[in-house]
Amino acid sequence: MSEGIDFYFDFASPYGYFAGTRIDDLAARHGRTVTWSPILLGAVMKITGMVSFATAPMRSDYFYRDIGRFARYLGVPFTQPATIPMHSLAASRAYYWALENRPEMARSLAKAIFHAHWGEGRDLSEPDAVADVAADLGIERASLVDGIRNETVKQALRQATDTAVARGVFGSPYIFVDGEPFWGTDRLDQVDRWLASGGW
Amino acid sequence: MSEGIDFYFDFASPYGYFAGTRIDDLAARHGRTVTWSPILLGAVMKITGMVSFATAPMRSDYFYRDIGRFARYLGVPFTQPATIPMHSLAASRAYYWALENRPEMARSLAKAIFHAHWGEGRDLSEPDAVADVAADLGIERASLVDGIRNETVKQALRQATDTAVARGVFGSPYIFVDGEPFWGTDRLDQVDRWLASGGW
């Protein structure tokens, strides 16, 4: 069990977005910081037999209602993307590229990607679309588009995903607090109490 | 959309149990009452492609951790039943039998069934086991065991399940507040705000 707060998410997950708007502030109230790790959930969903809410009979109607309602409940920007689920490969690689090459920008880039996709409804499946988001933060487009083709970047994402799966991660968001796992943005209240109390 | 608060659940669902410990008090704070409707979720889970948490790879470990931790978080009794999921047919029918024949006892019976299964870990798959719970409330064992074989009782459960599915219910607990659907005990905070505000 590693110490710290580990925040695993898929950029294609709206509940990951919701958690991402809150988790740093939540941790800071307890004097803690958070490690963000975007991963690709497609492979692990095959293992667990889960199917996307977005396409499942009956559940999809509820899903679309829930995500808009949840955003209004939290008071965070939300525009339903035309493409759900988007392909989050380029966005995820962009994060690990930034972590290596522009580490001071990585967290901001992750939040900007979440905001562009879930706050503004933009499809970030293509590297160029991710580069548009990065450019607004002052990251040179060509550096990012070229960079995410690097084997080290691809490997960083594979490694993060493999590590997450090995730790039992099967959904987004998935948060470890000093090794204790919490799945879902609707467990943040329990994360908060866990940080306050050290467990129960 | 019907008015009122409708609480659909499966007795085999621990999250239904958790919601059942809170929803009446929550509603009462807003001057409202709740209609309880046990249903059988097995059929609808086939429609939506959901599989039980209890047996899914990776998710089952988390599920067992989550339900115990959630119970301690809420401060409600919890004993992990040896049989998960139990077969909730007899328990569900017992509720509809009581609703018809001992209506003043029906709510208490539902709560006692939840408590016996999730609070004490007892397997209530068999009618005799349900009758044990009912007997503690002063309900004659033979009346209940005979009663749940009645076609009207069987029909009441089928009707409740069919109505739920027609309204989009695919999980437990599933709560309608004046027609607005909320899935999961982790949406009770939103149910609370919806009751306070009339929506957002």
Side-chain angles (χ1 to χ4, degrees), chain A residues 55-100:
Chain A
T55 54
M58 297 183 72
R59 285 195 293 160
S60 65
D61 287 349
Y62 180 81
F63 169 80
Y64 286 112
R65 179 190 293 258
D66 187 55
I67 58 177
R69 188 176 63 193
F70 209 130
R72 296 190 301 276
Y73 178 72
L74 296 175
V76 298
F78 183 79
T79 305
Q80 186 174 302
T83 303
I84 294 180
M86 78 163 174
H87 191 42
S88 48
L89 181 69
S92 303
R93 286 181 177 167
Y95 176 81
Y96 290 103
W97 173 83
L99 200 62
E100 186 66 27

